[in-house]
Amino acid sequence: METKEAQALLEGQAEIWQHLFGFADSMALKCAVELRIADIINSHGGPITLCQIAAGIDNSPSLDIPYLARIMRSLVRKKILTAHNPSDGGDTLYGLTPASKWLLHDAELSLVPMVLMENHPWQLAPWHYLSQCVKEGGIAFKKAHGCEMWDFASKNPEFNKIFNDAMACSAKIVMGVVLEEYKNGFDCLGSLVDVGGGTGGMIAEIVKAHPHIKGTNFDLPHVVATAPIRKGVSHVGGNMFESIPTADAIFMKWVLHDWSDEHCIKILKNCRKAISEKIGKVIIVDIVLEKDNNDLFDETRMVFDLLMMAHTSGGKERTELEWKKLLEEGGFPSYKIIKIPTMPSIIEAYPL
């Protein structure tokens, strides 16, 4: 019995060590992105040596090869990269994996902007205030920076760009799946407003796939001010807590999880006022937490809930029951959830 308990305690210690240094994996990932390691390997069309990788790193006359080797060892260990030792005793060759292909800067689908944004000191600082928020309430981001994230972005053009780039890259990934899995959902619509649409990438993709739709990208004035001209899309600045442009339907991706229930109900009530009675609906692309769901993204969905604590003004991820209550109070008594092969689901909500 003692041996079993000792083994369990040892395993518990090992597990805590792993969690304790979980940040190191994220930092190694950020390092790989900043050095463009995946891009350098990709540009050679196949596995290459450490010296070839070093030669491809720009503006590094005094590059430290042993440091680079240790970063590479960590990335290989985590299966971000592959390492192959030739039988002739030559130098180790490093190659890409399906994971590292998401770290290519110029790829059509890339997580590079998200890696850079979530690991930026501005975004890491609020995590240190979670225990303080538990004890006394409040907003972690505000405790770290003196204002909420949206205000911080409006005053800080560099952060605004980092944030918008990250949102655009995640939108592109998710929208590819949404357009594939929800083709018929847009067919009956003549007009669609993307609430919190950032610089308009999502609504542009929807309009491109469904040219009959008149698209409106709606976000805060400082956000749409940096939005490029997009075919078939009008950019409108405003505040979703005050009013939302009218349309047949409202689209919201990863918007409601940023806000408290009270805020979400206010947004939903404004959506209700904005849509037509007959074919009106709200299309929500957001996470639905499920108990004992062990798909590829389940662990990350739970992390996203903590992310909402760190970065948003009372936001959280919700279970289906929590979504149901929210929708009813916001004026949408009926809904259906459409599961798609990515992190969020599609929630289609109706006023009737």
Side-chain angles (χ1 to χ4, degrees), residues 182-200:
Y182 189 67
K183 290 175 186 173
N184 300 332
F186 298 110
D187 286 347
C188 63
L189 304 177
S191 57
L192 181 68
V193 174
D194 184 359
V195 171
T199 55

Side-chain angles (χ1 to χ4, degrees), residues 117-118 122-123 126 139-143 145-156 159-160 163 167 220 222 254 257-259 307-308 310-313:
M117 191 264 284
E118 291 298 349
W122 284 326
Q123 290 291 60
I139 297 164
F141 195 96
K142 190 173 182 178
K143 289 179 188 294
H145 297 295
C147 62
E148 295 181 32
M149 187 168 67
W150 318 114
D151 294 330
F152 191 75
S154 69
K155 298 168 189 170
N156 186 327
F159 178 78
N160 189 46
F163 182 81
M167 294 304 98
L220 292 167
H222 76 266
W254 272 338
H257 76 161
D258 287 336
W259 300 98
L307 182 69
M308 295 303 102
H311 291 168
T312 69
S313 310

Side-chain angles (χ1 to χ4, degrees), residues 35-48:
L35 296 176
R36 292 179 174 256
I37 289 172
D39 298 272
I40 294 166
I41 297 170
N42 191 57
S43 69
H44 281 74
I48 57 175

Side-chain angles (χ1 to χ4, degrees), residues 241 252 254-268 284-291 293 298 300-306 308-309 312-329 335 337 339 343-345 347:
F241 295 109
M252 288 187 285
W254 272 338
V255 170
L256 295 181
H257 76 161
D258 287 336
W259 300 98
S260 68
D261 289 355
E262 184 184 353
H263 283 102
C264 286
I265 290 165
K266 195 175 286 188
I267 295 166
L268 287 166
I284 300 164
V285 179
D286 230 317
I287 285 171
V288 179
L289 294 178
E290 293 181 69
K291 194 178 179 182
N293 178 14
D298 191 49
T300 310
R301 290 187 189 104
M302 295 304 295
V303 173
F304 256 66
D305 187 48
L306 295 179
M308 295 303 102
M309 284 179 64
T312 69
S313 310
K316 60 180 178 179
E317 304 301 350
R318 295 172 170 92
T319 63
E320 181 176 349
L321 278 177
E322 288 172 319
W323 277 113
K324 183 176 186 290
K325 184 173 183 293
L326 208 61
L327 292 168
E328 283 176 352
E329 291 185 38
Y335 70 94
I337 294 174
K339 289 187 180 182
M343 203 169 345
S345 297
I347 307 167

Side-chain angles (χ1 to χ4, degrees), residues 113-120 123-124 127 167 307 311:
M114 189 63 80
V115 171
L116 294 174
M117 191 264 284
E118 291 298 349
N119 291 291
H120 193 286
Q123 290 291 60
L124 291 174
W127 288 95
M167 294 304 98
L307 182 69
H311 291 168

